[in-house]
Amino acid sequence: MTDTVLETLMLPLDEGMLGLSDGDKALFLRARMGRELRTIPAAVLTCEQSFAPDRDALDQAGYKVVAETDETGFSLVLALPTRQRQESRALLARAVKKAAAGGIVLACAPNTEGAKTAEADLDALAGLTGKLSKNKCRVFWATVSPGTINTALLDEWLQLDAPREILEGAYFSRPGIFAWDRIDAASKLLTDNLPETLAGKGADLGCGFAYLARTVLERAPGVAAMDLYEAEKRALDLAEQNLAAFKGKKVLNGIWSDVTKGIEGPYDFIVSNPPFHQTGKADRSDVGQAFIRTAAGGLRSGGTFYMVANRHLPYEATLNDVFGVVEMIADEGGYKVIRAIKRKGK
């Protein structure tokens, strides 16, 4: 299947408008795997990706992939701006910062996900030297030189997605992660319906900045340990900060992984607000269904799974397939909270 964003990103290289010379090195920020990436030799490319599924795909394809690189001086820096404006601007600023003098920053985004805005942002930051449109996407680039970089804007934008205190200092968060500046209504409904009798070893699947996990630890004194699973390392690092008060009091373990590939265990209980988007805006019920199956596999016999989801998402069939008892314990504000108990002897 063609990745139209990657295809469009590579267009200036495929058509010979841009290129790499011997000794050049390239960096791909927010990289993701696709056959279109083969335009750039793997030997010269460093991929930066903090999202575990994309990290794993790149690694399996033989690319050098890191969560974050300190290296600079790249002849070509590719970037995929995100829909979140602050994160996107910070990404473009990092791309300019990572490029060598005379190097190229090359970016692409779908028209429906802020391509025109991202193009204008790179122009304001470093001055565009080219652009193309195809596949309902825009690809645009800038040649990095001291004379064209807006240094004041560069310094400002580099800090736009930095970790910061939110909710009057209650948590640390940063733009770009899920519900970054608030308590998500679905997660709040789930915590409102969790019993204070939770005990033993638990897990939070897709922990975000650790609102769920911290609430469990604050309200359920019988919980001795929790594993926090999160695909986005930027969120997992924040979770560690937000659980600092429990360090040395509870056994806590942050795990940067793709939950759909399985978890450790066995656990006495699992809580989760599964994601229903990956890239793009379309609902992805398959991701939540994979979380459900993973939870069932990670629980001890008789263990309990608590999850919240948008009311319309079709999870009941999967829940009934892998759990012995399934019941909806809350239905409010467009969300449903479900408690499921693993069959004895399974």
Side-chain angles (χ1 to χ4, degrees), residues 226-240:
M226 284 197 75
D227 286 347
L228 284 77
Y229 291 86
E230 174 54 51
E232 178 52 67
K233 189 176 185 299
R234 291 153 55 93
L236 191 61
D237 291 344
L238 293 164
E240 182 178 353

Side-chain angles (χ1 to χ4, degrees), residues 88-98 125 154 157-158:
S88 179
R89 283 181 161 178
L91 183 77
L92 291 173
R94 286 194 72 243
V96 170
K97 191 78 171 178
K98 294 292 183 183
L125 191 62
L154 179 68
W157 287 7
L158 284 169

Side-chain angles (χ1 to χ4, degrees), residues 60 79 281 328:
Q60 290 165 11
K281 298 180 180 180
M328 183 162 58

Side-chain angles (χ1 to χ4, degrees), residues 327-339:
E327 58 181 331
M328 183 162 58
I329 59 174
D331 182 359
E332 182 181 320
Y335 303 105
K336 55 190 174 186
V337 175
I338 296 170
R339 176 173 59 208

Side-chain angles (χ1 to χ4, degrees), residues 12-13 17-20 24-27 73-79 95-96 98-107 122 126-130 139-145:
L13 297 166
M17 302 174 72
L18 301 174
L20 290 167
D24 283 350
K25 58 181 183 177
L27 173 66
F74 291 91
S75 304
L76 174 66
V77 182
L78 305 101
V96 170
K98 294 292 183 183
I104 301 293
V105 171
L106 177 65
L122 183 59
L128 288 188
T129 50
V139 59
F140 41 94
W141 59 96
T143 302
V144 175
S145 64

Side-chain angles (χ1 to χ4, degrees), residues 243-261:
L243 294 176
F246 296 95
K247 190 174 182 180
K249 301 174 183 177
K250 307 285 184 178
V251 179
L252 302 175
N253 186 28
I255 301 171
W256 178 34
S257 72
D258 179 358
V259 162
T260 67
K261 304 302 183 185

Side-chain angles (χ1 to χ4, degrees), residues 177-240:
I177 70 168
F178 173 69
W180 80 270
D181 59 351
R182 65 191 187 278
I183 301 303
D184 171 62
S187 295
K188 178 65 166 59
L189 183 63
L190 177 55
T191 58
D192 288 345
N193 286 276
L194 290 176
E196 296 180 0
T197 54
L198 290 174
K201 183 177 182 180
D204 181 354
L205 308 188
C207 70
F209 62 73
Y211 167 72
L212 272 180
R214 195 167 98 178
T215 304
V216 167
L217 293 168
E218 288 170 345
R219 296 182 185 175
V223 175
M226 284 197 75
D227 286 347
L228 284 77
Y229 291 86
E230 174 54 51
E232 178 52 67
K233 189 176 185 299
R234 291 153 55 93
L236 191 61
D237 291 344
L238 293 164
E240 182 178 353

